[in-house]
Amino acid sequence: MIKPYLYIEKTKRKGRGVFTKERIPAGTRIEVSPVIVLSYDDTEKVDKTKLHNYIFLWGVRETRSCVALGFCSIYNHSYDPNCEYEMDFDAETMSIITRREIKKGEELSINYNGEVTDTSPVWFDVKRS
């Protein structure tokens, strides 16, 4: 499930991103998408490819990874994200939930570190919009 008002558009500095055509209230689950879970061995292989930028660590111990379908891998990073992601290991899904009200036309973002308050460095230079 992806809310119909979400769309992907190129940004000037960050490549593609996810945006909204409508205002979205805080606490709205805007996406629930299936994931493809990769084994530890497959994760090591994928980590050496361009797909490294599009996978998420998976499992309680984070020894595996997943490729999230839907828009999940297109949300850009922010240290002050307006959304957060939630993983359901049993259902093998990933959800995106708004943390605050989102304005029409605004880009949606998540913190790639997993925790919304984690400001530790990521593997690339963070660019501001």
Side-chain angles (χ1 to χ4, degrees):
M1 176 280 296
I2 299 174
K3 293 290 187 180
Y5 45 76
L6 299 181
Y7 64 98
I8 295 173
E9 186 170 282
K10 269 209 169 258
T11 67
K12 289 182 181 178
R13 302 196 57 192
K14 299 191 244 180
R16 290 176 294 190
V18 180
F19 294 81
T20 179
K21 296 178 195 170
E22 298 178 11
R23 182 190 71 79
I24 310 171
T28 302
R29 189 173 303 267
I30 57 174
E31 179 171 353
V32 179
S33 290
V35 301
I36 299 168
V37 179
L38 303 176
S39 69
Y40 176 85
D41 290 339
D42 285 343
T43 297
E44 282 197 329
K45 291 173 189 167
V46 169
D47 242 353
K48 295 175 180 135
T49 73
K50 188 175 185 173
L51 286 176
H52 165 80
N53 294 321
Y54 299 96
I55 60 173
F56 294 85
L57 293 177
W58 187 259
V60 176
R61 294 184 313 233
E62 297 184 338
T63 57
R64 296 174 292 159
S65 67
C66 74
V67 175
L69 304 177
F71 291 171
C72 290
S73 293
I74 306 298
Y75 292 86
N76 282 315
H77 168 76
S78 174
Y79 286 119
D80 184 23
N82 51 22
C83 297
E84 61 186 320
Y85 62 88
E86 180 181 278
M87 297 175 168
D88 184 329
F89 301 132
D90 294 328
E92 294 188 348
T93 61
M94 194 167 151
S95 296
I96 306 292
I97 304 150
T98 58
R99 297 181 60 222
R100 62 165 175 79
E101 181 178 302
I102 312 290
K103 297 175 188 167
K104 178 181 177 180
E106 187 174 350
E107 182 177 5
L108 296 116
S109 60
I110 58 176
N111 186 329
Y112 286 9
N113 288 323
E115 296 296 325
V116 294
T117 58
D118 186 343
T119 59
S120 58
V122 290
W123 63 95
F124 57 90
D125 290 334
V126 176
K127 297 176 182 173
R128 304 269 178 208
S129 299

